[in-house]
Amino acid sequence: MPRLTPLAAGLPATVPFVSPEQTERDRGRVFTSRLGANENGFGPSPLAVQAMQGAAAQMWKYGDSANHDLRHALAAHHGVRPENITVGEGIDGLLGNLVRLTIAAGDRVVTSLGAYPTLNYHVTGFGGVIEAVPYRNDHEDPSALVAKARDVGARLVYIANPDNPMGTWHQAGVIEQMLDDLPDDALLVLDEAYIELAPPGTAPNIDANDPRVIRLRTFSKAYGLAGLRVGYAIGPTDLITAFDRVRNHFGVNRMGQIAALAALQDHAHLTHVQNNVARSRDRIAAITAENGLCALPSATNFVAVDCGQNGDYTRAVLAQMLDAGVFLRMPAVAPMDRCLRVSCGTDADMDLLAAALPAALNPR
Ligand SMILES: *Cc1c(COP(=O)(O)O)cnc(C)c1O
């Protein structure tokens, strides 16, 4: 292939996330219910919407490349210094910059087989090598991750807590122990995309300046701003300020900074989302139980639903749900692919789920 580097020419042409819009185009019909991408169907803070509406005519201005106001507000929110926080284009964008900063050709990165895929995509793109360990009982396996890191001399070890695609989680103490067991050369990449939706006691108590870990957070899930692409990392100042060497300085746009700042201040709306997510998790469990299925406990805004058979069966059920107009996704790797992944949504979404599921469970 002309013009590509040998590395780029050798990359697989995979798209980790096919959008619901693309699926609609491919299938020639629109979805009536959008429960596949763990978006927050309860929406962003009305204060964030108001701030965006008020700012619309100002979009001729570039955003503040320092993300000053948002970074300072986040620092106050977490009781850390602004130098402990960098803002980026969602966790996905921050993972790319982190890998670019820390991974040279051939360096090893440890993750779980079937875990959230974006990290792998960046690691491969920068010439690193993914080493994956299996899940254990539908959980990412901290001790196996640490053992593999020791084995292969990993530079990065990734864990999402709570996890996507299974919605399972570990208590704070498990993550703290993982940190203590980590080999010296490895950095823990702690993806906390769903932490605002997890029960108390899930977020570990870690000093922002702890050199062993970087934590990743996002406005895409509990804050309902996935379309804007705003996330942030909390970590030691030398690592955090290094992001300035490689980041896309206007990557977080002006609208995103304004909306995230307003969203962060709307505690009442966050509570509203947390309550609705909890209700919807219960509703998904009830609907699936009525259909003889078992919903896994979840600390996220989605529920993995065990369909009781193998991945081929679940893929057939998923196809039927898509045909019925309900957008869902499912884990890619066995044995987790016995599950459907259903995002939380409004009562109307839950009604559509309940209506479509019985027929979908009897694929031809
Ligand atoms: C959704 C999700 C992300 C993506 O976050 P963005 O900030 O939207 O890029 C990252 N990690 C996990 C585990 C997720 O489920």
Side-chain angles (χ1 to χ4, degrees), residues 38 89-93 116 158 160 164 191 193-194 218 220-221 229-231:
N38 303 343
E89 305 95 307
I91 290 177
D92 287 4
Y116 185 71
Y158 174 85
N164 177 13
D191 182 338
Y194 299 97
T218 183
S220 297
K221 304 286 162 59
R229 315 303 309 126
V230 187

Side-chain angles (χ1 to χ4, degrees), residues 17 37-39 88-95 115-118 140 158-165 191-194 216-221 225-232 300-302 341:
F17 308 102
N38 303 343
E39 294 156 325
E89 305 95 307
I91 290 177
D92 287 4
L94 290 159
L95 284 170
Y116 185 71
T118 306
E140 293 198 75
Y158 174 85
I159 189 169
N161 193 49
D163 173 58
N164 177 13
D191 182 338
E192 297 184 316
Y194 299 97
L216 302 168
R217 303 277 182 105
T218 183
F219 284 92
S220 297
K221 304 286 162 59
L225 294 170
L228 280 178
R229 315 303 309 126
V230 187
Y232 59 101
T300 63
N301 70 336
F302 64 88
R341 199 192 65 181

Side-chain angles (χ1 to χ4, degrees), residues 128-180:
V129 178
I130 289 289
E131 303 274 0
V133 303
Y135 277 60
R136 194 154 61 94
N137 299 329
D138 299 320
H139 290 67
E140 293 198 75
D141 185 345
S143 42
L145 288 163
V146 167
K148 175 64 90 176
R150 198 173 295 283
D151 252 25
V152 302
R155 304 270 300 159
L156 300 176
V157 180
Y158 174 85
I159 189 169
N161 193 49
D163 173 58
N164 177 13
M166 300 310 284
T168 51
W169 69 105
H170 292 288
Q171 300 284 308
V174 174
I175 303 297
E176 287 158 9
Q177 186 64 50
M178 195 180 173
L179 214 47
D180 287 341

